Amino acid sequence: MKKIIKLICLSWLWLSFVIIFIDIAIKQTIMKNMYLHETYQLTSFLNIFYCHNYGIAFSFLDDGKIWQRWFFTIVSIIVIIFLLVISYYDYLNNKICIAYILIISGALGNLIDRFYYGFVIDFIDFHIKNSHFPTFNIADCSIVIGVILLMLKYK
């Protein structure tokens, strides 16, 4: 019975595949149909803005040094493994399992970019007049939603 219960978190893996597929598909579409730094206005507060992020978390440490690519790749792999191990032991709560899967999916989406291209492809640009929020992507959204779910659980 315990093994069946522990598979609850594994049963959410389909969500991970969906998020990663959507993230990669949109990034590929952006790369094929837009020039780097090109903007396409969707609404008065939302643009599609194609850019490369060599750093982490909203372009922090984004100076394009080669060590960063491999350092962030290794850190991402460690975080993914850590979350997989934790999710295996925190298997009784579906909300927690979903949070872990969302964070893992986002980390994998960005890890694929970093490993394949050496940078993360960002394209979602929220703004109010001339004040822009840092550009991000679907994988980043997945991570943020997962972290919010964890914070709600542990508050």
Side-chain angles (χ1 to χ4, degrees), residues 12 92-100 146 149-150 152-153:
W12 285 101
L92 291 176
N93 187 326
N94 265 340
K95 189 187 293 185
I96 294 298
C97 288
I98 293 169
Y100 289 142
L149 286 174
L150 282 178
L152 292 174
K153 165 63 176 141

Side-chain angles (χ1 to χ4, degrees), residues 62-92:
D62 183 13
D63 60 8
K65 303 286 187 197
I66 191 70
W67 70 268
Q68 290 172 271
R69 174 184 186 181
W70 300 112
F71 175 74
F72 295 143
T73 298
I74 291 167
V75 168
S76 295
I77 291 169
I78 291 168
V79 168
I80 290 165
I81 292 169
F82 176 74
L83 289 174
L84 285 171
V85 169
I86 289 175
S87 69
Y88 181 76
Y89 291 104
D90 202 0
Y91 55 85
L92 291 176

